[in-house]
Amino acid sequence: MERFGRSGPDQPAFELDNWTVQEVRFLAAIYLGNGESSGVRLYPLPIFRDIDEQAVDAVIEDETLLKPLLTPAATDDYFMAGNHGLLPQKLSQYQFFDWDDRRLEQATTFFSAADVNDPILVRGLHALLKSEMLFNHFQFRDASLASSHIALDAAYSMILRQLRTLGARNPSSYDAQAYMDEMYGVPHTQLKFFEDFYTDRVRNFHTDSRYGAEPIPFFSIDDIWDLNAALKGLFYRLVTGDLHDETRRNRDEYLRYNMIEVG
């Protein structure tokens, strides 16, 4: 890929923001490497700082490299405006993550495996990260879910691409879900790909669909939490070829709950 005369990791991920694909890769490694229930959530601040580091673990292990990102161009007044107590009120209230070695290892694994020249992957990760940023403000949670649905479509496209590589001529949504079931090591569900979220995606993107017209579609917060959690595990698996530890634990719990032998 090449944008604005630049190719590789330093090209902009999207014309209307300042992220490069390398930054998407780095931020996604922190976000996905911490697992499906990760409390890591980006907060949109008008800050720009360069970090002259290539390895994700160099930044994660040394908070002195990451902490300065929060200090320039941001004031306590900025944090006081409109967050309704949902976020820290001052810079001093932010805490840095105490990474254990295993989570750091998985974040680094994702960073190393992520292909910045895969436009579908970059688009999906970009949308998933933006979903979490939008979620910080309740006024934008419908937009947060819309970004999650874009990330879902990217994951779907990546699986269809893999199925075509394996010889499927016209893979369906059922085929995509079956492939995902096999990746996770669970019995085939006989469902369409992320079928539980299909209706919400249609209602969110189409103002007048077969489900009817709604002035403001109703969605629950769980719709975003559950979808984003599932997408974290799926993108990690698609990129690294392995299940994240937390995804594996959730898979094993699902199998035990349904009285299926854990392999």
Side-chain angles (χ1 to χ4, degrees), residues 95-199:
Q95 295 181 351
F96 285 83
F97 228 72
D98 183 17
W99 286 80
D100 59 50
D101 290 342
R102 179 56 180 164
R103 284 186 293 186
L104 174 60
E105 178 184 351
Q106 292 186 106
T108 305
T109 297
F110 182 90
F111 183 83
S112 299
D115 181 5
V116 295
N117 291 309
D118 182 347
I120 300 175
L121 172 63
V122 173
R123 176 78 184 274
L125 296 177
H126 181 269
L128 190 56
L129 291 167
K130 282 296 182 72
S131 172
E132 291 286 357
M133 294 174 72
L134 289 162
F135 187 84
N136 284 313
H137 295 277
F138 69 88
Q139 299 95 333
F140 301 126
R141 285 182 178 165
D142 57 340
S144 172
L145 184 58
S147 285
S148 299
H149 287 147
I150 293 172
L152 175 62
D153 186 73
Y156 180 52
S157 295
M158 291 177 69
I159 290 179
L160 293 184
R161 181 177 62 190
Q162 182 63 23
L163 288 171
R164 294 188 190 100
T165 300
L166 295 173
R169 288 192 173 185
N170 188 26
S172 68
S173 181
Y174 287 106
D175 296 328
Q177 183 62 46
Y179 183 77
M180 180 177 166
D181 293 339
E182 292 173 4
M183 285 196 302
Y184 278 56
V186 300
H188 287 188
T189 59
Q190 309 301 324
L191 298 174
K192 293 182 179 180
F193 185 72
F194 276 74
E195 185 170 309
D196 291 343
F197 296 93
Y198 176 77
T199 301

Side-chain angles (χ1 to χ4, degrees), residues 3-238:
R3 293 190 179 91
F4 306 104
R6 288 181 287 171
S7 60
D10 294 327
Q11 64 181 305
F14 187 55
E15 184 178 4
L16 300 182
D17 63 34
N18 292 323
W19 284 359
T20 66
V21 294
Q22 182 76 309
E23 289 168 326
V24 171
R25 177 191 184 197
F26 166 68
L27 295 170
I30 296 176
Y31 176 57
L32 273 67
N34 197 42
E36 293 183 5
S37 61
S38 171
V40 175
R41 179 174 294 135
L42 299 177
Y43 188 77
L45 284 178
I47 293 174
F48 177 80
R49 285 287 294 271
D50 281 326
I51 297 180
D52 187 20
E53 294 288 342
Q54 290 293 319
V56 63
D57 54 346
V59 178
I60 297 175
E61 287 181 324
D62 184 359
E63 71 175 41
T64 62
L65 292 173
L66 192 57
K67 195 168 185 177
L69 290 177
L70 292 177
T71 55
T75 66
D76 290 344
D77 290 339
Y78 184 88
F79 287 93
M80 293 293 286
N83 63 43
H84 301 284
L86 296 176
L87 297 165
Q89 299 291 312
K90 297 183 179 181
L91 290 169
S92 59
Q93 290 179 282
Y94 272 82
Q95 295 181 351
F96 285 83
F97 228 72
D98 183 17
W99 286 80
D100 59 50
D101 290 342
R102 179 56 180 164
R103 284 186 293 186
L104 174 60
E105 178 184 351
Q106 292 186 106
T108 305
T109 297
F110 182 90
F111 183 83
S112 299
D115 181 5
V116 295
N117 291 309
D118 182 347
I120 300 175
L121 172 63
V122 173
R123 176 78 184 274
L125 296 177
H126 181 269
L128 190 56
L129 291 167
K130 282 296 182 72
S131 172
E132 291 286 357
M133 294 174 72
L134 289 162
F135 187 84
N136 284 313
H137 295 277
F138 69 88
Q139 299 95 333
F140 301 126
R141 285 182 178 165
D142 57 340
S144 172
L145 184 58
S147 285
S148 299
H149 287 147
I150 293 172
L152 175 62
D153 186 73
Y156 180 52
S157 295
M158 291 177 69
I159 290 179
L160 293 184
R161 181 177 62 190
Q162 182 63 23
L163 288 171
R164 294 188 190 100
T165 300
L166 295 173
R169 288 192 173 185
N170 188 26
S172 68
S173 181
Y174 287 106
D175 296 328
Q177 183 62 46
Y179 183 77
M180 180 177 166
D181 293 339
E182 292 173 4
M183 285 196 302
Y184 278 56
V186 300
H188 287 188
T189 59
Q190 309 301 324
L191 298 174
K192 293 182 179 180
F193 185 72
F194 276 74
E195 185 170 309
D196 291 343
F197 296 93
Y198 176 77
T199 301
D200 283 350
R201 186 180 67 82
V202 173
R203 291 171 53 234
N204 203 16
F205 280 126
H206 299 282
T207 56
D208 189 9
S209 70
R210 60 181 175 276
Y211 302 106
E214 303 168 85
I216 302 176
F218 175 81
F219 302 108
S220 71
I221 289 179
D222 286 349
D223 295 329
I224 306 174
W225 282 343
D226 293 345
L227 179 54
N228 284 4
L231 288 173
K232 292 175 198 176
L234 180 54
F235 274 113
Y236 189 91
R237 174 62 178 80
L238 289 171

